Amino acid sequence: MTTAVADTRELLAAADWPAISAELDAGGCAVTPRLLTPAQCRDLTGLYDRPELFRSTIDMARHRFGSGQYRYFTHDLPEPVRALREAFYPHLLTIARSWAGTLDEWLQMCHQGGQSKSAQILLRYQPGDWNALHRDLFGDLVFPLQVVIGLDEHGTDYTGGEFLLVEQRPRAQSRGTSTVLPQGHGLIFTTGYRPLLGTRGWSPAPVRHGVSTVRSGRRHTLGLVFHDA
């Protein structure tokens, strides 16, 4: 696993971050190069059936979030989840122009602000499941970018289940984006707001994300959130 973690850091370091940043500026989301092998994706998917790794399980239909289920990890993250989060952070920090120097320092700020629960998520969708448009805002402190990693192969393991992003543009109709999430790739996207340049200058554009209805098979994703709940 140590080799796999090192490989992930190297793959992220080698990514074309200026192009990723430009894509985020243009549309609010951007797909990364492949970060995980199919075998590594299956290993992460298998964690879902180990309840001791999670602090809570959410039934989306019960809360009218959509249909499906997801689980929040405890702070004692499995090594590949922790390593992926830490490997992403410095690159996202540059894009976000954040005020926090390291992930540990930023999380300490979250905890001091009353946000002390782990927000890392493993999600499972089955036929007919979907996720309503939402924003993962758990308190006053919000990191502006987050990542979702596809763990199953679209078209083989499942159909449907596209990642949805809707941007509410100032004084205009909303714009929607649909992305098929490739297995082993990450999708970086806007957490709550992104700066949008209009005729009257810069303004914050609210952004929400969700998942379209899964038509067949089973879809798993790993959600990396950089602020605690």
Side-chain angles (χ1 to χ4, degrees):
M1 187 60 68
T2 301
T3 301
V5 168
D7 289 346
T8 299
R9 291 198 186 100
E10 292 174 4
L11 288 168
L12 280 173
D16 187 347
W17 285 102
I20 290 173
S21 181
E23 194 171 347
L24 282 165
D25 287 343
C29 62
V31 177
T32 73
R34 180 184 288 276
L35 304 175
L36 301 173
T37 66
Q40 290 169 331
C41 289
R42 286 192 295 271
D43 287 344
L44 285 170
T45 296
L47 299 179
Y48 199 91
D49 295 314
R50 295 178 56 189
E52 71 275 11
L53 297 176
F54 303 94
R55 66 173 176 84
S56 65
T57 299
I58 305 299
D59 183 329
M60 287 192 278
R62 177 184 175 189
H63 298 281
R64 302 184 69 184
F65 294 162
S67 177
Q69 191 181 83
Y70 58 87
R71 287 180 160 173
Y72 284 107
F73 284 101
T74 68
H75 278 303
D76 188 16
L77 296 173
E79 176 61 18
V81 179
R82 182 197 61 77
L84 279 164
R85 193 178 184 220
E86 291 185 356
F88 263 108
Y89 184 79
H91 301 289
L92 302 187
L93 181 64
T94 299
I95 296 172
R97 298 182 178 90
S98 178
W99 57 87
T102 68
L103 180 57
D104 286 341
E105 290 169 353
W106 165 246
L107 293 178
Q108 184 62 36
M109 290 172 63
C110 289
H111 296 173
Q112 290 172 351
Q115 297 171 216
S116 59
K117 295 180 180 179
S118 171
Q120 312 317 302
I121 314 170
L122 195 58
L123 303 99
R124 171 179 286 175
Y125 300 87
Q126 304 194 76
D129 288 345
W130 56 283
N131 198 343
L133 294 171
H134 66 284
R135 294 183 290 173
D136 294 319
L137 309 179
F138 306 126
D140 293 333
L141 296 174
V142 177
F143 194 81
L145 296 167
Q146 60 192 90
V147 179
V148 61
I149 298 176
L151 301 180
D152 298 303
E153 185 175 355
H154 186 269
T156 300
D157 297 319
Y158 70 97
T159 60
E162 295 84 3
F163 181 89
L164 304 176
L165 193 77
V166 174
E167 176 185 280
Q168 183 180 328
R169 299 180 299 163
R171 298 172 297 280
Q173 293 181 332
S174 297
R175 180 178 71 166
T177 301
S178 173
T179 303
V180 172
L181 188 56
Q183 184 184 41
H185 293 247
L187 179 72
I188 305 168
F189 63 97
T190 306
T191 300
Y193 297 88
R194 78 180 191 89
L196 192 66
L197 182 60
T199 57
R200 302 183 184 180
W202 291 97
S203 60
V207 176
R208 295 179 295 162
H209 66 277
V211 175
S212 69
T213 302
V214 173
R215 302 298 180 186
S216 65
R218 196 158 67 172
R219 176 188 188 271
H220 294 87
T221 57
L222 173 66
L224 302 177
V225 181
F226 296 90
H227 51 275
D228 281 346

